[in-house]
Amino acid sequence: MENNRSSTDCMKLFCLPYAGGSATAFSKWKRGLDPRIELVPVELAGRGRRFREPFYPSLPDGVKDIFPFIVEQVGDGEYSLFGHSMGTLYICELMNQIRKHGWKQPRHLFLSGMYPPHIRDKKKIHHLPDDEFIAEIIQLGGTPKEVAENRELMQIFTPILRGDYKNVEQYLLQAAPETWDIHVTVLAGDDDDLVTADDISQWQKYTSQSCTIVTLHGGHFFIHDEEEKVIEIINRTLTA
């Protein structure tokens, strides 16, 4: 990324994708973010420019892979984390690694479209036959119609999605609740079938600092429908 400012002049915002998503899910945000915020989408193995790399055996394995990249990118500057759906659980595990290594904490966490990891009674789908699994994915609304109706494309995306859902669902069975000393913003869609208002309110247990809950219009992928509002919230929060 071309940038003439030093790392200490800029807040880096690391963005972690939802299941099946790649770094490109956040690429359009760059033009709307305040110039004082540097967008750093994190690419996970098995997709995007890393599509030839094997999928992670578990979510913690994925965090171990991206943790050195984040440390290197931050340098001496400040940083914040944004995760949507699966990406929010990556943040939870990243916070475990940060605490374990005694590393510098992020200034702010944006937790989007996901319930806290201690809520474990949600429907599990990664083991379903392909047709049923794909139907569940399409119902969430994040798969473009032209992709969902293209069997060849779905044959490419289904293993990625299934691997991500397996890692998410297994992580939810073993993750221990943490308490962070960091300000948190929680984003939710008002028509999200996956996450309830009660689920979202329970994120307040995870921080000793402020926990701001913002409900936006849309389903599980409201971050695309309400992209401008999401960016506005990020800008207002990180430049205050």
Side-chain angles (χ1 to χ4, degrees), residues 60 89 92-93 96 114-127 165 167-178 194-196 198-200 202-203 205-206:
L89 296 182
C92 291
E93 184 60 23
N96 291 340
M114 190 62 192
Y115 46 86
H118 70 271
I119 298 177
R120 295 169 178 170
D121 59 349
K122 300 291 184 176
K123 183 178 182 180
K124 307 297 187 292
I125 68 171
H126 82 269
H127 61 283
Y165 269 84
N167 289 348
V168 164
E169 291 169 3
Q170 290 181 348
Y171 183 73
L172 289 169
L173 294 175
Q174 56 191 254
E178 298 284 339
L194 185 68
V195 186
T196 69
D198 180 63
D199 294 340
I200 291 298
Q202 294 189 56
W203 279 114
K205 302 175 183 178
Y206 282 69

Side-chain angles (χ1 to χ4, degrees), residues 39 43 52 62 67 74 77 81 102 108 129 161 226 240:
L39 179 71
E43 193 75 275
R52 294 186 184 279
F67 183 66
V74 170
L81 301 172
H108 201 94
L161 287 161
E226 296 279 42

Side-chain angles (χ1 to χ4, degrees), residues 10-29:
C10 193
M11 162 71 68
K12 292 198 176 188
L13 178 65
F14 294 91
C15 295
L16 294 141
Y18 41 82
S22 71
T24 58
F26 303 102
S27 59
K28 292 192 298 181
W29 288 16

